[in-house]
Amino acid sequence: QEALGVLARAPDPAVEARVLAELAWAHLTLGAVDSAEQYAARARALAERAGAPRVAARATSNQGAIAWRRGDPATAEALFLQ
Protein backbone atom coordinates (compact mmCIF):
# COMPACT_ATOMS: atom_id res chain seq x y z
CA GLN A 1 0.00 0.00 0.00
CA GLU A 2 2.85 2.37 0.81
CA ALA A 3 4.36 1.81 -2.64
CA LEU A 4 1.12 2.98 -4.25
CA GLY A 5 1.37 6.19 -2.26
CA VAL A 6 4.91 6.76 -3.51
CA LEU A 7 3.78 6.10 -7.08
CA ALA A 8 1.08 8.73 -6.77
CA ARG A 9 3.86 11.32 -6.53
CA ALA A 10 5.80 9.97 -9.53
CA PRO A 11 3.38 7.89 -11.57
CA ASP A 12 4.64 5.06 -13.75
CA PRO A 13 1.77 2.87 -14.98
CA ALA A 14 3.92 -0.23 -15.54
CA VAL A 15 5.42 -0.05 -12.06
CA GLU A 16 2.03 0.62 -10.52
CA ALA A 17 0.64 -2.43 -12.31
CA ARG A 18 3.48 -4.54 -10.91
CA VAL A 19 2.81 -3.28 -7.39
CA LEU A 20 -0.87 -4.13 -7.82
CA ALA A 21 0.01 -7.62 -9.08
CA GLU A 22 2.22 -8.20 -6.05
CA LEU A 23 -0.51 -6.93 -3.74
CA ALA A 24 -2.89 -9.38 -5.40
CA TRP A 25 -0.50 -12.25 -4.69
CA ALA A 26 0.06 -11.13 -1.10
CA HIS A 27 -3.67 -10.88 -0.45
CA LEU A 28 -4.28 -14.28 -2.02
CA THR A 29 -1.54 -15.80 0.13
CA LEU A 30 -3.19 -14.32 3.22
CA GLY A 31 -6.58 -15.72 2.17
CA ALA A 32 -8.12 -12.36 1.24
CA VAL A 33 -9.44 -13.64 -2.08
CA ASP A 34 -11.89 -10.81 -2.79
CA SER A 35 -9.27 -8.07 -2.45
CA ALA A 36 -6.74 -10.21 -4.32
CA GLU A 37 -9.19 -10.45 -7.20
CA GLN A 38 -9.65 -6.68 -7.26
CA TYR A 39 -5.91 -6.00 -7.24
CA ALA A 40 -5.26 -8.58 -9.96
CA ALA A 41 -7.94 -7.12 -12.23
CA ARG A 42 -6.61 -3.59 -11.75
CA ALA A 43 -3.05 -4.79 -12.36
CA ARG A 44 -3.94 -6.59 -15.57
CA ALA A 45 -5.94 -3.71 -17.01
CA LEU A 46 -3.26 -1.17 -16.16
CA ALA A 47 -0.44 -3.37 -17.48
CA GLU A 48 -2.27 -3.91 -20.77
CA ARG A 49 -2.85 -0.15 -21.15
CA ALA A 50 0.78 0.56 -20.24
CA GLY A 51 2.14 -1.95 -22.77
CA ALA A 52 3.76 -4.09 -20.06
CA PRO A 53 3.15 -7.67 -21.24
CA ARG A 54 5.19 -9.39 -18.52
CA VAL A 55 3.28 -7.60 -15.80
CA ALA A 56 0.00 -8.37 -17.56
CA ALA A 57 1.03 -12.04 -17.65
CA ARG A 58 1.80 -11.98 -13.92
CA ALA A 59 -1.59 -10.43 -13.18
CA THR A 60 -3.33 -12.99 -15.40
CA SER A 61 -1.49 -15.78 -13.61
CA ASN A 62 -2.68 -14.32 -10.32
CA GLN A 63 -6.23 -14.35 -11.68
CA GLY A 64 -5.77 -18.04 -12.50
CA ALA A 65 -4.59 -18.77 -8.96
CA ILE A 66 -7.57 -16.87 -7.59
CA ALA A 67 -9.98 -18.88 -9.77
CA TRP A 68 -8.32 -22.08 -8.58
CA ARG A 69 -8.64 -20.98 -4.95
CA ARG A 70 -12.34 -20.27 -5.56
CA GLY A 71 -12.80 -23.82 -6.84
CA ASP A 72 -13.13 -22.95 -10.53
CA PRO A 73 -10.51 -25.09 -12.29
CA ALA A 74 -11.88 -24.45 -15.79
CA THR A 75 -11.46 -20.68 -15.45
CA ALA A 76 -8.09 -21.17 -13.78
CA GLU A 77 -6.87 -23.30 -16.67
CA ALA A 78 -8.12 -20.81 -19.27
CA LEU A 79 -6.31 -17.99 -17.48
CA PHE A 80 -3.09 -19.98 -17.06
CA LEU A 81 -3.12 -20.79 -20.79
CA GLN A 82 -3.43 -17.16 -21.90
Side-chain angles (χ1 to χ4, degrees):
Q1 293 291 344
E2 187 178 332
L4 290 173
V6 171
L7 283 168
R9 288 175 271 165
D12 180 331
V15 173
E16 182 178 354
R18 183 165 182 190
V19 169
L20 290 167
E22 295 306 322
L23 279 168
W25 185 253
H27 280 240
L28 180 61
T29 301
L30 294 171
V33 181
D34 291 337
S35 58
E37 189 169 42
Q38 292 172 2
Y39 282 125
R42 286 175 54 199
R44 183 175 178 184
L46 186 56
E48 288 173 351
R49 283 195 311 270
R54 288 187 177 127
V55 180
R58 172 72 172 157
T60 304
S61 177
N62 287 346
Q63 289 177 312
I66 291 162
W68 182 264
R69 176 73 63 89
R70 288 194 185 278
D72 186 352
T75 298
E77 181 181 21
L79 287 161
F80 288 138
L81 291 174
Q82 287 186 19

PDB file of all heavy atoms in Angstrom, residues 44 57 60-61 63-65 67-68 72-82:
ATOM      1  N   ARG A  44      -3.900  -6.123 -14.178  1.00  0.00           N
ATOM      2  CA  ARG A  44      -3.944  -6.593 -15.573  1.00  0.00           C
ATOM      3  C   ARG A  44      -4.378  -5.477 -16.522  1.00  0.00           C
ATOM      4  O   ARG A  44      -3.753  -5.251 -17.562  1.00  0.00           O
ATOM      5  CB  ARG A  44      -4.879  -7.786 -15.683  1.00  0.00           C
ATOM      6  CG  ARG A  44      -4.912  -8.369 -17.070  1.00  0.00           C
ATOM      7  CD  ARG A  44      -5.756  -9.610 -17.097  1.00  0.00           C
ATOM      8  NE  ARG A  44      -5.828 -10.159 -18.444  1.00  0.00           N
ATOM      9  CZ  ARG A  44      -6.564 -11.187 -18.760  1.00  0.00           C
ATOM     10  NH1 ARG A  44      -7.287 -11.821 -17.847  1.00  0.00           N
ATOM     11  NH2 ARG A  44      -6.585 -11.626 -19.997  1.00  0.00           N
ATOM     12  N   ALA A  57       0.992 -10.586 -17.802  1.00  0.00           N
ATOM     13  CA  ALA A  57       1.029 -12.038 -17.650  1.00  0.00           C
ATOM     14  C   ALA A  57       1.030 -12.427 -16.174  1.00  0.00           C
ATOM     15  O   ALA A  57       0.354 -13.389 -15.779  1.00  0.00           O
ATOM     16  CB  ALA A  57       2.255 -12.604 -18.350  1.00  0.00           C
ATOM     17  N   THR A  60      -2.455 -11.944 -14.876  1.00  0.00           N
ATOM     18  CA  THR A  60      -3.328 -12.991 -15.401  1.00  0.00           C
ATOM     19  C   THR A  60      -3.080 -14.304 -14.665  1.00  0.00           C
ATOM     20  O   THR A  60      -4.023 -15.030 -14.336  1.00  0.00           O
ATOM     21  CB  THR A  60      -3.106 -13.163 -16.920  1.00  0.00           C
ATOM     22  OG1 THR A  60      -3.322 -11.906 -17.561  1.00  0.00           O
ATOM     23  CG2 THR A  60      -4.054 -14.198 -17.508  1.00  0.00           C
ATOM     24  N   SER A  61      -1.829 -14.597 -14.388  1.00  0.00           N
ATOM     25  CA  SER A  61      -1.491 -15.782 -13.606  1.00  0.00           C
ATOM     26  C   SER A  61      -2.105 -15.700 -12.210  1.00  0.00           C
ATOM     27  O   SER A  61      -2.634 -16.693 -11.684  1.00  0.00           O
ATOM     28  CB  SER A  61       0.031 -15.928 -13.502  1.00  0.00           C
ATOM     29  OG  SER A  61       0.372 -17.018 -12.688  1.00  0.00           O
ATOM     30  N   GLN A  63      -4.800 -14.110 -11.493  1.00  0.00           N
ATOM     31  CA  GLN A  63      -6.230 -14.353 -11.678  1.00  0.00           C
ATOM     32  C   GLN A  63      -6.516 -15.852 -11.783  1.00  0.00           C
ATOM     33  O   GLN A  63      -7.525 -16.332 -11.271  1.00  0.00           O
ATOM     34  CB  GLN A  63      -6.748 -13.614 -12.908  1.00  0.00           C
ATOM     35  CG  GLN A  63      -6.804 -12.110 -12.706  1.00  0.00           C
ATOM     36  CD  GLN A  63      -7.239 -11.377 -13.955  1.00  0.00           C
ATOM     37  OE1 GLN A  63      -6.731 -11.624 -15.049  1.00  0.00           O
ATOM     38  NE2 GLN A  63      -8.186 -10.466 -13.792  1.00  0.00           N
ATOM     39  N   GLY A  64      -5.617 -16.590 -12.429  1.00  0.00           N
ATOM     40  CA  GLY A  64      -5.769 -18.039 -12.502  1.00  0.00           C
ATOM     41  C   GLY A  64      -5.685 -18.681 -11.128  1.00  0.00           C
ATOM     42  O   GLY A  64      -6.478 -19.570 -10.792  1.00  0.00           O
ATOM     43  N   ALA A  65      -4.733 -18.237 -10.317  1.00  0.00           N
ATOM     44  CA  ALA A  65      -4.588 -18.770  -8.965  1.00  0.00           C
ATOM     45  C   ALA A  65      -5.818 -18.443  -8.113  1.00  0.00           C
ATOM     46  O   ALA A  65      -6.262 -19.266  -7.300  1.00  0.00           O
ATOM     47  CB  ALA A  65      -3.321 -18.212  -8.322  1.00  0.00           C
ATOM     48  N   ALA A  67      -8.900 -17.999  -9.295  1.00  0.00           N
ATOM     49  CA  ALA A  67      -9.977 -18.879  -9.769  1.00  0.00           C
ATOM     50  C   ALA A  67      -9.807 -20.283  -9.189  1.00  0.00           C
ATOM     51  O   ALA A  67     -10.791 -20.910  -8.757  1.00  0.00           O
ATOM     52  CB  ALA A  67      -9.994 -18.921 -11.293  1.00  0.00           C
ATOM     53  N   TRP A  68      -8.588 -20.757  -9.147  1.00  0.00           N
ATOM     54  CA  TRP A  68      -8.319 -22.083  -8.581  1.00  0.00           C
ATOM     55  C   TRP A  68      -8.716 -22.111  -7.112  1.00  0.00           C
ATOM     56  O   TRP A  68      -9.367 -23.040  -6.647  1.00  0.00           O
ATOM     57  CB  TRP A  68      -6.847 -22.433  -8.751  1.00  0.00           C
ATOM     58  CG  TRP A  68      -6.521 -23.796  -8.234  1.00  0.00           C
ATOM     59  CD1 TRP A  68      -6.024 -24.117  -7.008  1.00  0.00           C
ATOM     60  CD2 TRP A  68      -6.702 -25.022  -8.923  1.00  0.00           C
ATOM     61  NE1 TRP A  68      -5.882 -25.468  -6.890  1.00  0.00           N
ATOM     62  CE2 TRP A  68      -6.288 -26.057  -8.060  1.00  0.00           C
ATOM     63  CE3 TRP A  68      -7.177 -25.347 -10.197  1.00  0.00           C
ATOM     64  CZ2 TRP A  68      -6.337 -27.389  -8.424  1.00  0.00           C
ATOM     65  CZ3 TRP A  68      -7.204 -26.683 -10.561  1.00  0.00           C
ATOM     66  CH2 TRP A  68      -6.793 -27.682  -9.678  1.00  0.00           C
ATOM     67  N   ASP A  72     -12.705 -23.039  -9.129  1.00  0.00           N
ATOM     68  CA  ASP A  72     -13.130 -22.948 -10.528  1.00  0.00           C
ATOM     69  C   ASP A  72     -11.958 -23.346 -11.434  1.00  0.00           C
ATOM     70  O   ASP A  72     -11.301 -22.494 -12.029  1.00  0.00           O
ATOM     71  CB  ASP A  72     -13.592 -21.516 -10.824  1.00  0.00           C
ATOM     72  CG  ASP A  72     -14.187 -21.360 -12.210  1.00  0.00           C
ATOM     73  OD1 ASP A  72     -14.121 -22.302 -13.021  1.00  0.00           O
ATOM     74  OD2 ASP A  72     -14.716 -20.262 -12.480  1.00  0.00           O
ATOM     75  N   PRO A  73     -11.680 -24.651 -11.527  1.00  0.00           N
ATOM     76  CA  PRO A  73     -10.509 -25.086 -12.286  1.00  0.00           C
ATOM     77  C   PRO A  73     -10.584 -24.773 -13.780  1.00  0.00           C
ATOM     78  O   PRO A  73      -9.553 -24.532 -14.406  1.00  0.00           O
ATOM     79  CB  PRO A  73     -10.433 -26.592 -12.034  1.00  0.00           C
ATOM     80  CG  PRO A  73     -11.803 -26.987 -11.595  1.00  0.00           C
ATOM     81  CD  PRO A  73     -12.394 -25.775 -10.925  1.00  0.00           C
ATOM     82  N   ALA A  74     -11.767 -24.740 -14.355  1.00  0.00           N
ATOM     83  CA  ALA A  74     -11.882 -24.446 -15.791  1.00  0.00           C
ATOM     84  C   ALA A  74     -11.432 -23.013 -16.085  1.00  0.00           C
ATOM     85  O   ALA A  74     -10.670 -22.771 -17.029  1.00  0.00           O
ATOM     86  CB  ALA A  74     -13.313 -24.671 -16.270  1.00  0.00           C
ATOM     87  N   THR A  75     -11.888 -22.077 -15.269  1.00  0.00           N
ATOM     88  CA  THR A  75     -11.463 -20.684 -15.449  1.00  0.00           C
ATOM     89  C   THR A  75      -9.982 -20.551 -15.152  1.00  0.00           C
ATOM     90  O   THR A  75      -9.257 -19.843 -15.864  1.00  0.00           O
ATOM     91  CB  THR A  75     -12.288 -19.749 -14.547  1.00  0.00           C
ATOM     92  OG1 THR A  75     -13.663 -19.848 -14.934  1.00  0.00           O
ATOM     93  CG2 THR A  75     -11.824 -18.302 -14.669  1.00  0.00           C
ATOM     94  N   ALA A  76      -9.517 -21.234 -14.124  1.00  0.00           N
ATOM     95  CA  ALA A  76      -8.095 -21.167 -13.776  1.00  0.00           C
ATOM     96  C   ALA A  76      -7.247 -21.653 -14.951  1.00  0.00           C
ATOM     97  O   ALA A  76      -6.277 -20.992 -15.337  1.00  0.00           O
ATOM     98  CB  ALA A  76      -7.816 -22.021 -12.541  1.00  0.00           C
ATOM     99  N   GLU A  77      -7.632 -22.768 -15.533  1.00  0.00           N
ATOM    100  CA  GLU A  77      -6.868 -23.298 -16.668  1.00  0.00           C
ATOM    101  C   GLU A  77      -6.863 -22.327 -17.842  1.00  0.00           C
ATOM    102  O   GLU A  77      -5.814 -22.085 -18.456  1.00  0.00           O
ATOM    103  CB  GLU A  77      -7.454 -24.644 -17.121  1.00  0.00           C
ATOM    104  CG  GLU A  77      -6.689 -25.246 -18.283  1.00  0.00           C
ATOM    105  CD  GLU A  77      -7.268 -26.560 -18.764  1.00  0.00           C
ATOM    106  OE1 GLU A  77      -8.452 -26.845 -18.493  1.00  0.00           O
ATOM    107  OE2 GLU A  77      -6.522 -27.301 -19.419  1.00  0.00           O
ATOM    108  N   ALA A  78      -8.034 -21.762 -18.150  1.00  0.00           N
ATOM    109  CA  ALA A  78      -8.122 -20.812 -19.266  1.00  0.00           C
ATOM    110  C   ALA A  78      -7.197 -19.613 -19.026  1.00  0.00           C
ATOM    111  O   ALA A  78      -6.530 -19.147 -19.951  1.00  0.00           O
ATOM    112  CB  ALA A  78      -9.557 -20.364 -19.445  1.00  0.00           C
ATOM    113  N   LEU A  79      -7.178 -19.129 -17.796  1.00  0.00           N
ATOM    114  CA  LEU A  79      -6.312 -17.986 -17.479  1.00  0.00           C
ATOM    115  C   LEU A  79      -4.843 -18.378 -17.553  1.00  0.00           C
ATOM    116  O   LEU A  79      -4.022 -17.622 -18.084  1.00  0.00           O
ATOM    117  CB  LEU A  79      -6.665 -17.424 -16.101  1.00  0.00           C
ATOM    118  CG  LEU A  79      -7.992 -16.659 -16.060  1.00  0.00           C
ATOM    119  CD1 LEU A  79      -8.491 -16.535 -14.627  1.00  0.00           C
ATOM    120  CD2 LEU A  79      -7.835 -15.295 -16.702  1.00  0.00           C
ATOM    121  N   PHE A  80      -4.490 -19.548 -17.026  1.00  0.00           N
ATOM    122  CA  PHE A  80      -3.094 -19.983 -17.062  1.00  0.00           C
ATOM    123  C   PHE A  80      -2.601 -20.196 -18.496  1.00  0.00           C
ATOM    124  O   PHE A  80      -1.420 -20.041 -18.776  1.00  0.00           O
ATOM    125  CB  PHE A  80      -2.896 -21.265 -16.259  1.00  0.00           C
ATOM    126  CG  PHE A  80      -2.974 -21.082 -14.768  1.00  0.00           C
ATOM    127  CD1 PHE A  80      -3.650 -21.994 -13.984  1.00  0.00           C
ATOM    128  CD2 PHE A  80      -2.373 -19.999 -14.147  1.00  0.00           C
ATOM    129  CE1 PHE A  80      -3.717 -21.849 -12.597  1.00  0.00           C
ATOM    130  CE2 PHE A  80      -2.430 -19.836 -12.772  1.00  0.00           C
ATOM    131  CZ  PHE A  80      -3.099 -20.761 -11.998  1.00  0.00           C
ATOM    132  N   LEU A  81      -3.509 -20.535 -19.402  1.00  0.00           N
ATOM    133  CA  LEU A  81      -3.118 -20.792 -20.794  1.00  0.00           C
ATOM    134  C   LEU A  81      -3.061 -19.524 -21.652  1.00  0.00           C
ATOM    135  O   LEU A  81      -2.635 -19.587 -22.804  1.00  0.00           O
ATOM    136  CB  LEU A  81      -4.062 -21.802 -21.420  1.00  0.00           C
ATOM    137  CG  LEU A  81      -3.953 -23.219 -20.860  1.00  0.00           C
ATOM    138  CD1 LEU A  81      -5.037 -24.114 -21.454  1.00  0.00           C
ATOM    139  CD2 LEU A  81      -2.570 -23.805 -21.109  1.00  0.00           C
ATOM    140  N   GLN A  82      -3.470 -18.408 -21.109  1.00  0.00           N
ATOM    141  CA  GLN A  82      -3.433 -17.162 -21.898  1.00  0.00           C
ATOM    142  C   GLN A  82      -2.010 -16.690 -22.076  1.00  0.00           C
ATOM    143  O   GLN A  82      -1.161 -16.819 -21.281  1.00  0.00           O
ATOM    144  CB  GLN A  82      -4.255 -16.079 -21.224  1.00  0.00           C
ATOM    145  CG  GLN A  82      -5.720 -16.317 -21.355  1.00  0.00           C
ATOM    146  CD  GLN A  82      -6.563 -15.180 -20.808  1.00  0.00           C
ATOM    147  OE1 GLN A  82      -6.090 -14.065 -20.631  1.00  0.00           O
ATOM    148  NE2 GLN A  82      -7.807 -15.469 -20.523  1.00  0.00           N
TER     149      GLN A  82
END
